[in-house]
Amino acid sequence: MNYVKEKELLQQKAAALKTRASDLMPESSQLSALGELLEDLERDYYTLMVVGEFKHGKSTFVNALLGQDIMPRDVTPTTATINAVFHSETPGLEILKMDGTVETKELSVDALNQYTASADFNPDEIKYLKLFLNAPLLENRVVLIDTPGVNDLNQQRSDITFQFLPRADVIIFLTSLDSAFKQTEKTFIQEFLMKNGLENIIFAANFMDRVDEEELDETIEFAESRVQSILGGEKTAVFPLSAKDALDGKLNGDEAALRYSGFPELEKEIVRRIESGSRSLEKLERFQWRLKAIAELVKSEIRTAEELSSHSLEDLESQLEGVAKWFANQDTWRGQIKSYLSDRRSEINYMVAKSIQHFGTNVKEDIENRIRLFHGADIKNLVEAQIPIAVKSHFNTWANQYSDYIHELLHKTQAEVTKGLIAAFNENVTIHAVKSNDLQLHEPIPILNAKSGNAAVKAGVVLGGVSTVAVLLGGPFFLPIVGMAGLPYLSQKLAEKQLENIKPELIIAANSQIGQLITNFEDKIVDYVHTTINKIQEESLEEFTRLLRSYETMIKREISSKQREAATIQVYRTKLAELERLIESEYLEGVSA
Ligand SMILES: Nc1nc2c(ncn2[C@@H]2O[C@H](COP(=O)(O)OP(=O)(O)O)[C@@H](O)[C@H]2O)c(=O)[nH]1
Ligand SMILES: [Mg+2]
């Protein structure tokens, strides 16, 4: 699948539908939805964010990625703003201010130098800088962001970086190879990246040119072991790099320098992430779902319009009344949906609670067995590595097993609500209403037994990716277990007693930690279900109100055109009658045959 091509196709289709629908049905409820879809498709950026402490070569590396020496990277001035680089055939610079204004400048290193730490500008006034450049990496809507140092002594400048973090699709974390992943960096990675679910990180260690060649392998190994411990057990590659050599190599066309800078491997990894990352089938499918859902609704609006034009003025007026009654009855159907959704939520939560309870028992049993059967000498390793890894793998297995299932339940729930609403709308207003003059609503809204309506696809709009539940497992979730290693009593007890004597205490400690994890986990899932159901509720009601409003407008338009038609006929008839009378009085009267 070529993401970019498929997306362009989708964009064209959406734009064409919007033009044609707005020509024929300017009141269509779907025009704004189409507008939103087009906007999202348009803004479909893939954001690479380079972060790290200051003076670690971030700007130099960004320049190497761009193949242009554009970001200020002198020894004194350091980056003080977020610099986001966008693709453009013609270079340019926009300064986005906090007050919403945008200043446009010519792009140059000098212009950018005005916004470095040593320059005289008020960082309070600047939101970020947008640079426009022509660079191959940026094609296909990739945005590359250079940031101030995350440990910048200027709190304001570090804050700027933190605010931008959630937009990153991939984070490139630059450390220095000679002091890789020191405490402050560890804190940043754990507290700011992992805690925010930002786990798509590429780790690179700069200043490779400063490390002795004989020590290189060992230094990289050390860096990788640091990352592994920071991430809580996962083995992760650290790319050694000399950003300076890479940039020099690129600017001077020095292939050998470039090759030895470690840059090509890192660049390849970045490209791989871009290609396999969030521009995935899943993302594309969500866009396709949305377009399909909109198209279904436009189609049903067309059918409604066709229907309407075949009705008499009287019919139409009574239908208008019917819609008014729907609005007057809002509290009822809103209440019905709320209680329907609240039932579904309880069901899902009950299922989750039962399954987690069972799961918790299994995890505790397994860990207890591991502790009982442990005969090694390295209890620290058991506590710090083996147990946390085992627990994590249990949780992952649960998430893999159940996240699709929970997702599917939510998916179905949304589909039912939308289907039910649309069916009720079609059956009660459009069709039945015209047959009987008495517009009684058929209550309750037949949410569960709706047979018509094609809104199932709409379900894709609210819900995120498939593995949303798995995402909940990210971040600092497992830290408490890792923290057990810090329990000082353990090592003390180990010194005093034999291993066997510690085991019962360890089992109690592990059980209580696992118990906490399970509770947290359940809370997170319940929270997720709650938020999603609320979203489903809001979106469905909003969509349905939109539909009703547009239907109302359509009826009104049809009524007024029918009235106009009637008036025209009336005028014509009057004219005919006048002419007839004239003929009678002036042409026929008194003239003898
Ligand atoms: N020796 C060496 N110096 C580098 C390397 N990368 C960057 N520098 C220098 O380190 C200083 C800080 O680089 P800069 O890109 O501004 O770091 P930033 O603050 O993280 O953006 C500059 O003087 C760069 O020339 C490298 O790989 N090797
Ligand atoms: Mg910089």
Side-chain angles (χ1 to χ4, degrees):
M1 177 208 62
N2 182 329
Y3 178 87
V4 177
K5 275 216 185 92
E6 297 272 332
K7 202 194 71 163
E8 264 169 21
L9 214 74
L10 210 64
Q11 254 166 323
Q12 285 164 9
K13 278 173 84 173
L17 180 61
K18 187 167 179 235
T19 316
R20 300 197 57 176
S22 66
D23 273 356
L24 282 172
M25 300 186 296
E27 68 289 308
S28 166
S29 68
Q30 295 310 303
L31 294 180
S32 62
L34 273 168
E36 283 158 23
L37 175 65
L38 280 166
E39 206 172 283
D40 290 350
L41 279 163
E42 181 64 33
R43 285 204 186 142
D44 179 33
Y45 286 124
Y46 193 80
T47 305
L48 305 174
M49 197 159 164
V50 181
V51 303
E53 304 202 340
F54 73 113
K55 291 263 166 282
H56 276 27
K58 295 183 297 296
S59 300
T60 310
F61 174 63
V62 165
N63 288 345
L65 279 172
L66 295 169
Q68 300 175 41
D69 202 4
I70 185 70
M71 298 294 178
R73 52 176 184 92
D74 287 341
V75 183
T76 35
T78 155
T79 318
T81 50
I82 293 279
N83 296 343
V85 196
F86 292 75
H87 181 75
S88 167
E89 298 291 330
T90 44
L93 173 63
E94 286 179 4
I95 294 110
L96 283 81
K97 309 264 175 77
M98 289 295 184
D99 63 10
T101 57
V102 180
E103 193 181 333
T104 312
K105 288 192 177 177
E106 262 180 41
L107 180 63
S108 68
V109 179
D110 278 348
L112 290 172
N113 262 323
Q114 320 256 292
Y115 299 97
T116 50
S118 55
D120 183 24
F121 82 101
N122 183 358
D124 262 351
E125 289 170 1
I126 309 287
K127 216 183 210 168
Y128 66 101
L129 306 191
K130 261 184 167 179
L131 286 70
F132 298 91
L133 293 176
N134 197 346
L137 179 76
L138 303 179
E139 279 167 14
N140 298 338
R141 317 202 65 76
V142 170
V143 181
L144 178 61
I145 300 186
D146 188 16
T147 60
V150 289
N151 63 330
D152 202 308
L153 292 178
N154 181 328
Q155 187 58 39
Q156 225 157 25
R157 287 203 294 263
S158 351
D159 283 352
I160 299 174
T161 307
F162 295 152
Q163 282 161 18
F164 258 73
L165 281 174
R167 300 189 187 179
D169 290 305
V170 172
I171 286 167
I172 302 156
F173 186 91
L174 227 55
T175 184
S176 164
L177 196 49
D178 47 26
S179 59
F181 306 108
K182 53 184 185 293
Q183 191 55 40
T184 46
E185 294 177 314
K186 175 181 171 182
T187 309
F188 172 77
I189 293 169
Q190 289 182 337
E191 296 299 312
F192 292 96
L193 300 184
M194 293 169 71
K195 256 193 192 165
N196 290 311
L198 296 161
E199 296 197 314
N200 197 2
I201 312 172
I202 299 174
F203 295 95
N206 198 27
F207 302 108
M208 176 167 56
D209 52 302
R210 288 190 199 157
V211 175
D212 279 348
E213 211 167 322
E214 306 93 76
E215 288 172 15
L216 194 58
D217 283 349
E218 211 177 301
T219 316
I220 294 167
E221 244 169 64
F222 173 75
E224 288 185 337
S225 73
R226 285 287 298 162
V227 173
Q228 184 168 9
S229 93
I230 290 171
L231 298 185
E234 274 167 54
K235 198 151 171 45
T236 307
V238 172
F239 292 84
L241 172 75
S242 169
K244 192 163 147 288
D245 289 352
L247 180 61
D248 290 346
K250 273 217 170 177
L251 296 178
N252 306 324
D254 183 344
E255 289 292 330
L258 189 61
R259 202 162 46 241
Y260 289 116
S261 71
F263 182 82
E265 289 79 10
L266 180 53
E267 191 179 38
K268 213 189 269 168
E269 176 62 14
I270 292 172
V271 170
R272 192 186 69 76
R273 299 266 181 128
I274 293 174
E275 280 168 0
S276 69
S278 71
R279 356 194 81 187
S280 56
L281 189 63
E282 203 177 280
K283 197 169 168 189
L284 196 66
E285 269 178 359
R286 240 177 297 151
F287 281 133
Q288 282 165 341
W289 260 339
R290 281 173 68 181
L291 182 59
K292 197 170 167 195
I294 292 170
E296 289 285 357
L297 292 172
V298 172
K299 192 174 139 193
S300 83
E301 283 181 349
I302 290 175
R303 275 206 234 101
T304 309
E306 285 169 348
E307 273 257 348
L308 286 180
S309 68
S310 71
H311 288 306
S312 69
L313 192 58
E314 262 180 358
D315 275 350
L316 292 173
E317 274 162 354
S318 68
Q319 282 198 50
L320 194 58
E321 248 174 72
V323 174
K325 274 188 191 163
W326 265 89
F327 276 119
N329 248 346
Q330 269 193 61
D331 289 350
T332 316
W333 46 266
R334 278 173 191 265
Q336 279 167 7
I337 286 169
K338 270 187 197 161
S339 87
Y340 172 78
L341 285 176
S342 141
D343 286 353
R344 297 294 82 71
R345 191 177 63 206
S346 311
E347 280 167 20
I348 296 175
N349 284 345
Y350 179 72
M351 186 277 293
V352 168
K354 272 206 91 157
S355 143
I356 289 185
Q357 218 173 45
H358 179 67
F359 162 72
T361 318
N362 284 347
V363 180
K364 282 181 186 165
E365 249 174 49
D366 175 55
I367 300 302
E368 192 170 328
N369 283 335
R370 275 168 201 264
I371 296 172
R372 279 194 205 292
L373 298 174
F374 184 78
H375 287 301
D378 193 354
I379 192 142
K380 197 160 178 284
N381 177 271
L382 174 73
V383 175
E384 272 188 358
Q386 294 180 28
I387 295 179
I389 289 170
V391 171
K392 191 160 187 168
S393 117
H394 276 297
F395 274 89
N396 279 334
T397 312
W398 192 93
N400 285 340
Q401 243 176 1
Y402 285 92
S403 71
D404 280 359
Y405 185 49
I406 294 177
H407 197 258
E408 199 182 306
L409 287 177
L410 290 167
H411 208 291
K412 275 195 185 138
T413 306
Q414 158 134 51
E416 289 298 333
V417 171
T418 320
K419 216 158 94 180
L421 275 172
I422 289 180
F425 174 67
N426 284 340
E427 284 167 21
N428 292 322
V429 179
T430 316
I431 303 162
H432 293 173
V434 284
K435 286 185 183 145
S436 66
N437 257 344
D438 179 25
L439 284 173
Q440 282 306 311
L441 295 182
H442 299 225
E443 284 177 304
I445 298 176
I447 280 178
L448 277 175
N449 39 33
K451 286 181 195 74
S452 57
N454 297 306
V457 280
K458 182 91 187 5
V461 181
V462 163
L463 301 170
V466 181
S467 49
T468 327
V469 175
V471 170
L472 296 178
L473 288 175
F477 195 70
F478 295 99
L479 290 182
I481 287 270
V482 178
M484 276 172 63
L487 294 178
Y489 83 90
L490 244 187
S491 42
Q492 207 188 326
K493 289 272 161 72
L494 191 59
E496 292 165 6
K497 300 184 197 173
Q498 291 298 308
L499 175 63
E500 286 308 313
N501 294 339
I502 300 183
K503 283 183 175 179
E505 282 179 61
L506 193 52
I507 288 169
I508 292 170
N511 272 345
S512 108
Q513 295 274 2
I514 294 167
Q516 264 178 32
L517 275 182
I518 299 268
T519 313
N520 281 347
F521 186 54
E522 193 182 336
D523 283 353
K524 279 191 173 201
I525 303 217
V526 166
D527 214 47
Y528 168 72
V529 171
H530 182 82
T531 321
T532 312
I533 295 242
N534 278 348
K535 224 151 86 182
I536 290 175
Q537 184 176 305
E538 279 162 34
E539 294 250 336
S540 315
L541 289 175
E542 197 181 297
E543 179 62 36
F544 184 61
T545 310
R546 204 148 51 156
L547 207 73
L548 270 188
R549 286 281 174 225
S550 88
Y551 184 59
E552 191 180 34
T553 322
M554 280 166 105
I555 299 176
K556 281 184 182 160
R557 195 187 54 167
E558 197 58 38
I559 287 178
S560 85
S561 98
K562 283 252 154 66
Q563 279 168 343
R564 228 177 311 132
E565 220 172 83
T568 318
I569 293 170
Q570 197 51 51
V571 170
Y572 180 62
R573 281 196 177 144
T574 314
K575 282 184 180 162
L576 284 180
E578 272 170 17
L579 186 60
E580 197 180 5
R581 254 182 278 122
L582 185 76
I583 290 172
E584 277 169 3
S585 64
E586 301 284 327
Y587 293 81
L588 304 177
E589 194 96 331
V591 180
S592 51

